[in-house]
Amino acid sequence: EIMENSTPIQYLLIGDTSTNKIITEFSSTINSSKIKKEINQIFQKICKTQAKKYNERNKVSSKDLIYYFTLVKPNYTYIILADDEYSEDLVFEIIDKINKEKIATMVNEETQELNPNGRIELKNIIDSYQKKNDEEENDENNKDKKRIIWIIV
């Protein structure tokens, strides 16, 4: 149903670093297995890090991809892959929005996975930033392009 490159936000992972548990994953790319593997590796490294630094902007690159991440207390990780045209500021704005809306706490008590309300809220946030990016792209047609992956913890 979702076509490749139909949306600037291509991949998102929300996880809990205290339990090493993935709360939810969202993908709008057809060939996401490589991306999923890389994001899961980064998530596992974050989970194993002893001295976690919270609320700092960080980035990790892998070939042509850049992963942005921020650790957010208590122990949430959000990882997002976006298209080239997405700015770093917009990446962290989305991270802040997801965190402020407490999406990571909207889980099923038994499975600790995102519940239906959480999925709807997350989709609404993602959709609102898809539109915002379209508006910005119309204003700034000739910007340098970078492939961006966002990680929020």
Side-chain angles (χ1 to χ4, degrees), residues 55-107:
N55 304 315
E56 289 186 8
R57 289 185 173 196
N58 302 285
K59 49 182 152 175
V60 175
S61 61
S62 171
K63 297 191 169 67
D64 62 337
L65 304 176
I66 301 171
Y67 299 85
Y68 291 92
F69 64 95
T70 302
L71 295 167
V72 178
K73 289 186 178 182
N75 291 299
Y76 296 123
T77 303
Y78 307 81
I79 303 172
I80 304 171
L81 165 63
D83 270 343
D84 303 350
E85 69 268 12
Y86 246 63
S87 72
E88 182 175 334
D89 288 340
L90 205 49
V91 170
F92 284 106
E93 186 179 315
I94 294 170
I95 290 169
D96 289 342
K97 178 73 172 171
I98 293 171
N99 187 52
K100 284 178 184 166
E101 295 297 323
K102 301 187 184 317
I103 301 299
T105 64
M106 298 179 184
V107 296

